[in-house]
Amino acid sequence: MHLNKYLSCLSLAVLLVSCNLNNKPSKYDNEENAEKNNKKTATTTAAKPARSKAPIVGERINGAATILNNPGGEPLVTLVDYIPLRCAPVKKDWYPVSVDFDITKEEYSKPIFHKGRKIKVNGVDAGVLQRDIKLPVATNGEKMWATIDGYTQKKSIRSGTIIESALSSYLKQHTGRSTADMEPFIHNFKLEEETTLKPYLLYFNYESGIDDPSPLYRLALVFQGKQLIGVLHSRPIQLDGGTPRRLQRGFTVNYLSGIDKSLKEDFAVKFNKFILSVD
């Protein structure tokens, strides 16, 4: 393993430890499943890439939280620690959120749920409903679920599962910017690959879909020639030394220092043309 890739992997492990993500039992399909740190495993770290077996998809509850119908409003459901959910952009210290929980065939046919009902997410105990409520339901042919939309306080979401915060920390912890350096981060947040904007390669995730049923990109790592040249984003992000440029449809790209001006212009032109063609 190259030194830069090792340092990249190690730094991501430190980040996840700081957010208490790697001490959780493997309860969810997308939960972090890193080994616990101890003296014995520390001696073999160099032989094992520090990336999760199951990526982080969506944010996680911090400790415990109540989902309300409005900021400061009435409680809908209480959730326990580390439950996965989706967050729209924060608004005055409140996150609009959406959480799916498992339901039965009978509930799918008659989706009225009562106060005190215990809920599960991916088969795991997740919380308790705090009021009688009718909810939208869905199925993928294999499982059925109901969706609760509401609000929770900013402090109720683990910062290490917020991709903008995690990326900012990750880039501060090491200097490598190659595809190999960024691979653990790409894996751990399950970023998808976009090759439309050749010669640029994007690794991205989508917005939550809470505010828009046809969400666009939320964050994308922009590579050219296997080197990271910038970060495309729709939500605010703190990147040291970046040069921001506004793009179409509310996007911003933060170019890394030292990127050639003509390269910046070329990517901006190609992305603007592309994103304006997308429905």
Side-chain angles (χ1 to χ4, degrees):
M1 181 183 293
H2 292 95
L3 179 59
N4 284 343
K5 186 172 183 178
Y6 166 67
L7 293 176
S8 172
C9 294
L10 182 59
S11 63
L12 184 60
V14 173
L15 171 62
L16 293 177
V17 169
S18 68
C19 300
N20 291 324
L21 298 181
N22 63 334
N23 292 323
K24 308 301 292 186
S26 186
K27 298 190 294 186
Y28 304 102
D29 292 341
N30 61 351
E31 184 172 355
E32 187 64 26
N33 193 29
E35 296 180 2
K36 292 183 179 181
N37 291 325
N38 54 47
K39 293 181 180 180
K40 182 177 180 180
T41 57
T43 61
T44 60
T45 300
K48 297 181 180 180
R51 62 180 218 168
S52 65
K53 294 181 181 179
I56 302 167
V57 180
E59 290 81 4
R60 300 301 179 99
I61 290 296
N62 182 28
T66 301
I67 308 303
L68 309 178
N69 62 347
N70 287 295
E74 298 296 321
L76 300 176
V77 61
T78 52
L79 299 177
V80 300
D81 185 34
Y82 214 66
I83 295 300
L85 72 172
R86 298 175 294 278
C87 295
V90 67
K91 300 175 181 178
K92 296 182 179 180
D93 292 328
W94 288 86
Y95 275 110
V97 298
S98 180
V99 60
D100 301 330
F101 66 90
D102 308 338
I103 61 173
T104 65
K105 291 182 179 179
E106 292 73 20
E107 290 171 328
Y108 183 79
S109 300
K110 188 178 180 181
I112 298 176
F113 305 89
H114 297 288
K115 180 178 179 180
R117 183 196 189 279
K118 296 180 179 180
I119 68 170
K120 292 188 175 184
V121 174
N122 297 337
V124 176
D125 292 339
V128 180
L129 293 180
Q130 297 300 311
R131 64 186 296 180
D132 294 343
I133 189 170
K134 184 175 182 179
L135 296 171
V137 295
T139 181
N140 59 8
E142 297 180 358
K143 60 178 294 185
M144 294 164 285
W145 64 89
T147 301
I148 299 176
D149 294 320
Y151 295 82
T152 197
Q153 291 179 296
K154 182 179 179 179
K155 66 182 181 180
S156 297
I157 304 298
R158 287 178 178 265
S159 62
T161 65
I162 300 169
I163 192 170
E164 291 83 8
S165 299
L167 179 61
S168 179
S169 297
Y170 186 79
L171 293 177
K172 287 178 181 178
Q173 291 177 8
H174 68 92
T175 58
R177 297 293 184 265
S178 70
T179 306
D181 293 320
M182 300 304 298
E183 190 275 338
F185 187 89
I186 292 167
H187 170 83
N188 285 336
F189 281 90
K190 202 176 181 180
L191 301 185
E192 300 181 48
E193 185 177 297
E194 173 61 72
T195 60
T196 303
L197 299 175
K198 294 181 179 179
Y200 307 104
L201 177 64
L202 274 61
Y203 289 96
F204 71 93
N205 68 349
Y206 287 112
E207 260 296 352
S208 65
I210 295 174
D211 296 328
D212 186 346
S214 299
L216 297 174
Y217 299 141
R218 173 173 171 176
L219 183 145
L221 304 178
V222 183
F223 289 87
Q224 194 273 331
K226 296 187 177 181
Q227 289 294 317
L228 183 68
I229 67 168
V231 178
L232 178 78
H233 53 97
S234 61
R235 301 192 191 188
I237 184 172
Q238 298 293 325
L239 295 177
D240 293 343
T243 303
R245 172 167 175 171
R246 297 287 293 177
L247 300 174
Q248 295 289 338
R249 300 187 73 171
F251 287 98
T252 299
V253 59
N254 264 270
Y255 294 111
L256 304 186
S257 60
I259 303 302
D260 185 77
K261 183 177 180 181
S262 62
L263 194 64
K264 296 179 182 179
E265 184 63 24
D266 183 62
F267 174 77
V269 170
K270 282 184 169 65
F271 179 80
N272 281 336
K273 182 178 180 180
F274 166 73
I275 204 65
L276 289 174
S277 69
V278 176
D279 293 333

